[in-house]
Amino acid sequence: MKAARWYKARDIRVDDIEEPQVTAGKVKIKVAWTGICGSDLHEYIAGPIFVPVEKPHKISHDIAPVVLGHEFSGQVVEVGAGVTKVKPGDRVVVEPILSCGECPACREGKYNLCGDLGFHGLSGGGGGFASFTTVAEHMVHRMPDALSYEQGALVEPAAVALHAVRMSKLKAGDKAAVFGAGPIGLLVIEALRAAGAAEIYVVELSPQRAEKARELGAKVVIDPSKEDAVAKIRELSNGGVDVAYEVTGVPVVLKQCIDSTTYEGETIIVSIWEGEASFHPNKVVLSERSVKGIIAYRHIFPAVMELMAQGYFQADKLVTKRIELADLVEQGFEALVKEKQQVKILVRPPQ
């Protein structure tokens, strides 16, 4: 079958590889649509981050080159011995976290904090940029009939956004700021609306993404190339927002997020970073602010799909391009690098 594999930064190839075979406890899925994630883009531009290159990943036991793609939906075509959660013909999405199940975090049910954390489609084991993939039974969630396969491909990134809001201290009626209106930032806006945020301020350079942010519920969108984003947020919010969400991975933006919050405000770091960022500790100390990081999600896919059924996180508002797997590099990764108007690009493997 055809599959897109990561070899090194700026080197992703669509190869012919062996179709995976189902084994006990595993589910084989025919992939329908797969989204290109910001994490995929980071791997393409500056990886490896999650891709194992020096030694095999402890859970997948794979090493580069690995198949990419962790935001995907598809149909179950075969199940291994002992599988009871799904059956052939079921429409599903995959929660792609690889966790050991044995460390203290896993034993507490916080599997996204596993010491050996990996992702199917980043850390080996197969991936969604292929015609077929196999995953463990516990990673599979059946989709409600009301959701399309395209919608299913957005469950994983929407889960990141909803987890970020859930893990923050935001309460209904609070004020929030979102720095970066890429795919995850836009989904954070919708998650904030679902959580009852009264005012949502967004900082974004791209006019097209800014318009999307307004469409999805931002009260004000600020172009930081034209005005001081922090000063504007503090002015409009009467002293700062309750929670700011950093969704850019740009070092200077972390400082801006912290500065945009009120006393006892909170900054949530959602991005995966390619390098270091710094801020003066007194910015946190003297106002008793807090800074918190989140990674992925846990126990949240069913809630995301229920919100989708209610009208949140809609594909028709977020998907800007649909391409074939053969065009993944030029029309997918390179387009996201060069075309800032792109939001979410979906990829269809050979059917």
Side-chain angles (χ1 to χ4, degrees), residues 26-243:
K26 295 291 189 74
V27 177
K28 184 175 180 178
I29 298 167
K30 181 179 182 181
V31 179
W33 287 101
T34 304
I36 301 177
C37 178
S39 299
D40 298 323
L41 192 60
H42 284 304
E43 298 287 359
Y44 176 69
I45 295 171
I49 299 170
F50 288 106
V51 175
V53 293
E54 295 181 356
K55 57 184 179 180
H57 189 269
K58 288 184 179 180
I59 298 173
S60 73
H61 307 298
D62 281 352
I63 193 167
V66 297
V67 179
L68 291 183
H70 61 279
E71 303 178 352
F72 64 95
S73 62
Q75 185 176 53
V76 176
V77 293
E78 189 179 354
V79 298
V83 172
T84 59
K85 186 176 180 180
V86 293
K87 64 184 184 304
D90 284 348
R91 301 162 63 253
V92 298
V93 296
V94 169
E95 183 173 355
I97 288 180
L98 303 178
S99 56
C100 73
E102 299 173 355
C103 68
C106 284
R107 288 199 300 268
E108 285 188 26
K110 298 177 181 179
Y111 51 86
N112 62 317
L113 305 182
C114 175
D116 294 326
L117 178 69
F119 294 89
H120 183 86
L122 279 173
S123 310
F129 291 139
S131 298
F132 297 92
T133 193
T134 59
V135 298
E137 178 184 20
H138 74 269
M139 298 165 69
V140 178
H141 298 267
R142 281 187 292 184
M143 291 168 52
D145 292 340
L147 300 188
S148 67
Y149 281 125
E150 286 193 9
Q151 195 67 55
L154 292 181
V155 171
E156 196 275 347
V160 174
L162 187 59
H163 181 66
V165 173
R166 275 187 168 186
M167 294 300 292
S168 73
K169 71 172 192 177
L170 184 117
K171 303 180 298 296
D174 280 355
K175 303 171 185 176
V178 180
F179 284 73
I184 299 296
L186 292 171
L187 290 163
V188 168
I189 294 169
E190 290 217 75
L192 286 167
R193 284 179 46 233
E199 299 175 12
I200 304 171
Y201 302 95
V202 175
V203 180
E204 174 56 48
L205 285 164
S206 163
Q208 294 87 354
R209 289 181 171 181
E211 186 56 38
K212 285 283 185 185
R214 294 185 190 94
E215 181 185 345
L216 293 174
K219 180 176 181 179
V220 176
V221 182
I222 302 160
D223 182 342
S225 70
K226 296 180 179 177
E227 57 185 323
D228 184 325
V230 171
K232 191 67 174 178
I233 289 172
R234 294 186 65 82
E235 173 194 342
L236 295 173
S237 63
N238 193 29
V241 296
D242 298 290
V243 186

